[in-house]
Structure formats: C-alpha cells, structure tokens
Amino acid sequence: MKLDNNDIPTTGKLELIAVKSFKACDDMYKIIDFLNKTLKNKHVIFGLTKDAAKDTMKISIYEA
C-alpha cells in the first residue's frame, strides 16, 4: 500500500460503497468538498455528478 499526496493509503482501486440520486442542488459541491477534506483520514471519498438534462445529481461514496 502506498500513500498519495493527501496521505490517503491507496491500493490503486476504489470500492464503491453507495450511490444516491436526488434533485439537483447548486451548493451540493460545497458539502462534498467538506466531507472529502474532513474524512480523508477515514479512507472514504465522495463523488458528485450532475445530469443537467434531468436536473438531478448523484452522490457516490467510495472506500480507498
């Protein structure tokens, strides 16, 4: 196991833990950024995607 620049141990592969879709919210990226910065030492990573056509967002949670 190696450490990346943020001191998160990586095996080169992320494991998807959960995915949830919901109505789009403009400030959601701020929450995702906060969670990633706060929980990086817990080896979890949060991702956010937006589908503008459907006005939805999807949050993904990964274990590093």
Side-chain angles (χ1 to χ4, degrees):
M1 190 178 311
K2 65 179 183 173
L3 295 178
D4 67 11
N5 291 338
N6 294 321
D7 297 324
I8 298 173
T10 59
T11 59
K13 189 174 179 182
L14 298 176
E15 180 181 346
L16 182 63
I17 297 171
V19 177
K20 179 69 176 175
S21 294
F22 50 92
K23 185 177 175 186
C25 174
D26 290 338
D27 288 337
M28 184 57 68
Y29 75 93
K30 294 177 184 178
I31 295 169
I32 298 302
D33 186 51
F34 168 74
L35 290 170
N36 281 329
K37 288 178 180 178
T38 304
L39 299 174
K40 68 181 179 181
N41 62 339
K42 301 293 184 186
H43 313 296
V44 291
I45 299 171
F46 296 83
L48 184 66
T49 56
K50 183 175 183 178
D51 185 337
K54 295 181 182 178
D55 195 35
T56 61
M57 295 181 128
K58 179 172 64 173
I59 186 171
S60 301
I61 305 172
Y62 301 91
E63 184 174 33

